[in-house]
Amino acid sequence: MFFRIFCISFLLFQAMSLFGQERVMRVNSHYQAEIKTLTQESKVMRGMSLIEEYVDATRDLHIKLTEMPAPPFQEGRRAQLFMQVMQQYDLDSVWMDGVGNVLGLRKGTVGAKTVCLDAHLDTVFPEGTDVRVRMHGDTLYAPGIGDDTRGLAMLIAVLRVLNDADIHTSDNVLFVASVGEEGLGDLRGVKHIFSEGPQIDSWISIDGGGRASVVTQGLGSYRYRIIFKGSGGHSWGAFGLANPHHALGEAIHLFVQKANRFTTSGDRTSYNIGVISGGTSVNSIPFESSMEIDIRSVNPLRLDSLGGLLEESVYEALEIQNKMRRIGAPLTVEFVQIGNRPSGELPRALPLIQRALATTAYMGKRPVIRRGSTNANIPIAMGIPAVTIGRGGIGGNAHALNEWWLDRDAYKATQGAFLLLLAQSGISG
Ligand SMILES: [Zn+2]
């Protein structure tokens, strides 16, 4: 209980601290009317009530999927399970693509366009993490329980309801369970789909928390791994060798001075050295010293500029430290970009965005436009209509071992996703 209070107050604090970057949106009356008309169709009404009926089944699947591990780059087992679940429903085809995404195509009656509904398979938790779901009261605890396994369960609930309510869409609907959304996965699943997959005309991701959230702006990031290398040796006996840690420290110092100046004005841009490693003992000159850096910006040009400052600092540091060297071979450096998530922003007037706002309002929330770093970054940067909507319920501690999720009216998030998908793909007959 104490823990729960802490979590909820933390969430509120987070929401408040983000408030400055959010915009509560007024909803266009044309789209409000469109959603209202849609909800008066008898099959849609039936679908809406089936979503409520299927709450227990959706929770059971949610738990089953959570307990199937999906570490970064090892989503295969969960992907197989998800594919088996998908195959129980009437889809025109279900397949796994070259990078491990699971796709299920439900052809439309016209089929001129394709709308995707996506949730991601991967979690941030390494192999061996205990992913068993624990229940305290009605709260579910497990690593990955919210992010994004709840999204996967919602995706199946929508698919099931389309079938059971016998709803046919005009456009094709492509259900996607994607790999590589988190961290160093670097959106590789969605990147693959947009480079080698079928033609996609609009994209809806289910990821992130609250039902009010509509992400239409991609927060871009670049990530780097930098490794200084030398021969290494005894701290006394080999003194005078160039020291990789000293070079790393020099590079950090140079970069942070420049990056601090660069980020104090202009579009919001951040930098973070998140991981430093290397060295074997206090009396050994290390043979390797490395760091991982994340930089983010709402503006793609500023990502390039800050990336350039980092590169400049690293090579300057290499030169300085190699000049100090008294014996041995010079240090070398590997400068590797390990992540590239593009930024971008879509016009509010796009029908998909308007529909997302209208369904959110119809489901009783004041919609809030947000910027995020999700699968939708890729289509957003390509100018393809895309949004990320929330999973519903209440949750916290995402990416931590004590992640939790509570089903408070979460079926409403599924209903919202269902309505948005139907509004975008068109309902026929
Ligand atoms: Zn996620």
Side-chain angles (χ1 to χ4, degrees), residues 86 89 91 106 155-163 175:
M86 254 190 180
Y89 302 101
L91 285 161
R106 196 172 186 275
L155 199 139
I156 292 293
V158 171
L159 166 60
R160 182 177 178 192
V161 163
L162 288 181
N163 281 7
F175 293 91

Side-chain angles (χ1 to χ4, degrees), residues 120 122 146-149 181-182 206-208 373-374 391 399:
H120 67 85
D122 56 315
D147 185 11
D148 188 28
T149 323
E181 193 276 340
E182 299 285 4
I206 305 170
D207 200 356
S373 182
T374 67
R391 297 179 283 258
H399 294 197

Side-chain angles (χ1 to χ4, degrees), residues 280-295:
T280 51
S281 72
V282 68
N283 57 351
S284 302
I285 299 165
F287 56 86
E288 199 170 286
S289 182
S290 69
M291 62 176 166
E292 290 179 5
I293 300 169
D294 165 276
I295 65 181

Side-chain angles (χ1 to χ4, degrees), residues 52 102 138-139 141 187 203 215 233 268 332-333 348 367 373 405 426:
E52 282 187 67
V102 178
D138 47 7
T139 306
Y141 288 84
L187 310 183
W203 179 275
V215 175
R268 187 163 182 231
T332 58
V333 71
R348 298 282 153 76
S373 182
W405 186 80

Side-chain angles (χ1 to χ4, degrees), residues 27 161 322 344 367:
V27 182
V161 163
N322 276 337

